[in-house]
Amino acid sequence: MDFHEPVSSFLGTLLIILIVLALAIDFRSRIAVAGSVMTILGMAKYFNVLESRYVPAFLSYLGCASYSIFLIHYPVSLVVNAAFFRFLPHQPAVHLIGLLVAIAASIGSGILLFKWLEVHPVTNRTRILLLSVFIASGISVMPGNL
């Protein structure tokens, strides 16, 4: 028996109790979904279900880049949404295409962010470039565009 096994069991049970209490106090479907997913993933890890599964290389790479994708998906989605709303007709099919473009752009830009910032160390040149892009994007959305 591993030393960490009783601690893991105790913490897992404690987390489940906290989720049930939170849902009893104020039920929210997001908490229920997040708690269920957390419990399923925790149990899969505890019983070594995930280690014995083959994961395709592209999914493994997306998993490594997932935090970068998470960080950048919201602003990318806003830009795509604004462009589709402003320049294209307001029809469901067009908006579906916009959604697919936003998903693809979010994943693509997240992978670029992962490659440029997480995998490689940030140099002074990269810092200056990022600051310039940040300032330029801020100026471009100001009312009146100066």
Side-chain angles (χ1 to χ4, degrees):
M1 185 168 158
D2 188 16
F3 166 75
H4 296 288
E5 197 169 309
V7 174
S8 298
S9 298
F10 172 74
L11 290 176
T13 305
L14 181 65
L15 284 173
I16 291 171
I17 290 170
L18 287 173
I19 291 168
V20 170
L21 284 173
L23 292 172
I25 293 170
D26 185 15
F27 184 84
R28 297 193 183 206
S29 59
R30 287 178 277 177
I31 295 173
V33 169
S36 300
V37 170
M38 178 207 64
T39 303
I40 291 168
L41 289 175
M43 290 177 69
K45 177 71 173 166
Y46 184 77
F47 292 111
N48 294 322
V49 173
L50 301 176
E51 284 78 14
S52 62
R53 303 283 183 224
Y54 168 74
V55 177
F58 77 95
L59 287 180
S60 181
Y61 187 76
L62 276 179
C64 291
S66 64
Y67 186 64
S68 295
I69 295 168
F70 165 74
L71 288 177
I72 205 159
H73 87 276
Y74 187 69
V76 168
S77 297
L78 287 178
V79 168
V80 171
N81 181 35
F84 269 70
F85 186 80
R86 172 123 188 207
F87 300 114
L88 296 172
H90 300 286
Q91 298 172 352
V94 173
H95 290 292
L96 176 63
I97 293 169
L99 176 67
L100 297 174
V101 168
I103 291 170
S106 295
I107 292 173
S109 58
I111 288 173
L112 289 176
L113 184 68
F114 174 71
K115 280 182 164 180
W116 291 346
L117 293 179
E118 287 191 51
V119 175
H120 301 294
V122 178
T123 63
N124 285 333
R125 181 178 176 196
T126 307
R127 283 189 184 101
I128 292 170
L129 176 67
L130 288 173
L131 182 61
S132 303
V133 168
F134 181 73
I135 291 171
S137 63
I139 290 172
S140 70
V141 297
M142 290 175 64
N145 293 333
L146 294 180

